[in-house]
Amino acid sequence: MNSSTPADLSGRKVAVPGGTGAVGEGIVRRYLTAGADVVVPTRTQERAEEFRRLLGDAATDRLHLFVHDYTTFAGAEQLADEMVSRLGGVDDVVAPIGGWWAGRSLWEIDEADWQSAFVGLATAHMAVARAFLPRLSPRGAYTLIVGESAVTPIPGSGLVSMEQAALRMMQQVLTAELDGRQRVFALQLGPVATRLTGAGDPDQVTADQVGEVAVAASASKEAGREIRMRSRAEAEEALDLLRGTRSAAPGTVLAVSTMEPKDGRRADLLEVLAELAEQIRAEPGCLHYSVHRTRGEDSGPLLVVQMFASIQAFTEHSAKVAGQIPRLGALLATPPKPPTLFEPVPLGDGTAVDPLPA
Ligand SMILES: NC(=O)c1ccc[n+]([C@@H]2O[C@H](COP(=O)([O-])OP(=O)(O)OC[C@H]3O[C@@H](n4cnc5c(N)ncnc54)[C@H](OP(=O)(O)O)[C@@H]3O)[C@@H](O)[C@H]2O)c1
């Protein structure tokens, strides 16, 4: 598939709680375009009618839009059950639940603010995740939509920042707990151009692009990860990554290490490298991680090949794994050395090397 080929998700069953919202609209449209069956619960009849009107001809018979409160544990459980019994299963979930809150410093909030902007939203996300994840098909993905406010405090909107930071951590905890059985993504958005804001800044990601990236995540086999898409350039980069079309652009860093295990410790070394694979592949700047052996040899050295989007991504990676070096060192015949770094060589026709599969 090349970068402009739309994904075909025919037959996939996708739930989008929060899909009636400004960002949700782009997500729902994109999954419908990709051929999926899309379930959009909404808490009110007015919202259902308004959303159907907004979608116009895009509201095909594959759109299952109905009134249902999915924001409680019992409500989400009932929704997931219904979806399994009526559509035969659930493949993907995208959760653009919740909106914006602003107006007070943290010490000025009252209990109503706390309940609505933090507890209510966190509960809705928790309810949906716990109801749907155990029912999700292995090919699908669970995608949380979070804002940049998860990592950057916004004075006067602290409750949003705190709740979004909790969601961001939810993706990380779920990824660790699921241990490769399901893929969980978090799309981290800056301000989005939606039906409510109009076109705005040309560098702003649109709701439609959020949908495009969510669809690409579902269609890919990429491990779940956080995907930053705070600008159109980052959205394009995310699409290339998810569609496997990301090329080794100038600035890419290939890091290669040879590891000679101590006698009798090769299996332990492989175990540590496999454990690190998940963590390293989930780093936003990691493009590739693989471990190789001499062809046909069950003993001898291992070659670890990693590719990073930039030297900065490699430096961040090195800081993250620094704590693992003594653990690796204990299994190696010689003290661990930093990897040898390579960069792409332009081939004269504007291309560098072919991309490595992730
Ligand atoms: N818009 C942006 O520029 C932007 C930027 C960065 C991140 N985000 C993130 O994207 C997600 C969706 O944002 P949005 O702008 O699309 O919000 P929105 O227009 O307010 O829509 C959110 C939807 O979530 C549902 N919802 C469920 N519980 C809710 C609650 N307690 N309060 C409010 N809505 C609730 C509503 O659906 P029903 O009423 O139909 O059930 C609503 O349509 C949020 O997580 C937000 O942080 C948005």
Side-chain angles (χ1 to χ4, degrees):
M1 182 164 61
N2 70 41
S3 61
S4 55
T5 311
D8 179 5
L9 295 181
S10 310
R12 291 273 276 258
K13 300 153 194 98
V14 184
V16 191
T20 59
V23 173
E25 179 188 347
I27 295 168
V28 171
R29 283 183 185 276
R30 277 289 175 166
Y31 276 95
L32 287 170
T33 305
D37 272 84
V38 185
V39 169
V40 182
T42 174
R43 293 164 303 161
T44 60
Q45 186 62 36
E46 304 92 273
R47 200 94 165 133
E49 286 165 14
E50 184 198 343
F51 191 57
R52 192 172 286 282
R53 257 197 315 278
L54 261 171
L55 288 185
D57 291 347
T60 64
D61 58 358
R62 285 181 289 99
L63 172 72
H64 309 274
L65 172 66
F66 50 87
V67 177
H68 181 89
D69 186 357
Y70 52 90
T71 61
T72 63
F73 279 27
E77 197 70 26
Q78 203 186 352
L79 175 67
D81 253 354
E82 286 269 304
M83 194 166 160
V84 171
S85 69
R86 289 187 185 211
L87 295 184
V90 189
D91 292 299
D92 302 86
V93 175
V94 186
I97 303 169
W100 191 241
W101 175 92
R104 300 181 218 253
S105 304
L106 282 184
W107 59 87
E108 293 166 339
I109 62 156
D110 58 26
E111 196 154 347
D113 293 330
W114 175 244
Q115 290 297 334
S116 71
F118 190 99
V119 178
L121 289 175
T123 303
H125 276 282
M126 197 63 241
V128 171
R130 68 183 287 289
F132 279 88
L133 272 168
R135 295 166 166 96
L136 214 61
S137 80
R139 64 181 173 168
Y142 192 103
T143 302
L144 288 156
I145 306 297
V146 305
E148 202 182 348
S149 59
V151 289
T152 308
I154 301 185
S157 287
L159 288 184
V160 177
S161 283
M162 287 168 62
E163 190 265 335
Q164 297 284 298
L167 284 186
R168 184 171 179 246
M169 181 48 76
M170 186 176 176
Q171 183 269 335
Q172 295 176 29
V173 173
L174 287 172
T175 296
E177 289 181 345
L178 287 163
D179 197 20
R181 293 192 302 281
Q182 302 284 0
R183 302 178 302 133
V184 181
F185 291 88
L187 307 189
Q188 191 198 114
L189 315 177
V192 180
T194 68
R195 64 177 185 249
L196 302 180
T197 63
D201 177 348
D203 196 36
Q204 252 178 27
V205 167
T206 63
D208 184 64
Q209 283 170 317
V210 179
E212 200 179 1
V213 171
V215 163
S218 287
S220 78
K221 292 195 168 38
E222 279 286 326
R225 59 175 69 210
E226 178 172 68
I227 292 180
R228 286 186 213 146
M229 42 183 301
R230 300 157 302 181
S231 63
R232 291 203 185 179
E234 284 190 345
E236 288 298 327
E237 209 178 300
L239 283 173
D240 283 345
L241 169 83
L242 292 165
R243 291 169 174 169
T245 51
R246 176 129 117 186
S247 58
T252 311
V253 173
L254 187 72
V256 179
S257 318
T258 307
M259 298 192 181
E260 180 74 51
K262 273 186 186 155
D263 278 353
R265 303 305 302 271
R266 192 167 182 271
D268 298 325
L269 178 60
L270 274 169
E271 203 172 300
V272 175
L273 293 174
E275 191 189 304
L276 288 176
E278 195 177 331
Q279 175 193 328
I280 294 171
R281 284 181 181 144
E283 290 173 15
C286 173
L287 305 182
H288 176 89
Y289 173 95
S290 60
V291 179
H292 305 254
R293 63 181 178 189
T294 307
R295 196 168 160 75
E297 289 287 337
D298 281 340
S299 59
L302 297 167
L303 186 74
V304 180
V305 179
Q306 303 173 91
M307 189 181 261
F308 296 90
S310 62
I311 191 67
Q312 191 196 351
F314 171 73
T315 309
E316 285 170 13
H317 154 81
S318 304
K320 279 200 183 112
V321 297
Q324 302 292 337
I325 291 175
R327 201 172 156 214
L328 284 168
L331 303 170
L332 297 178
T334 54
K337 285 194 298 226
T340 308
L341 301 186
F342 295 88
E343 61 186 4
V345 179
L347 297 178
D349 57 357
T351 64
V353 292
D354 282 341
L356 285 168

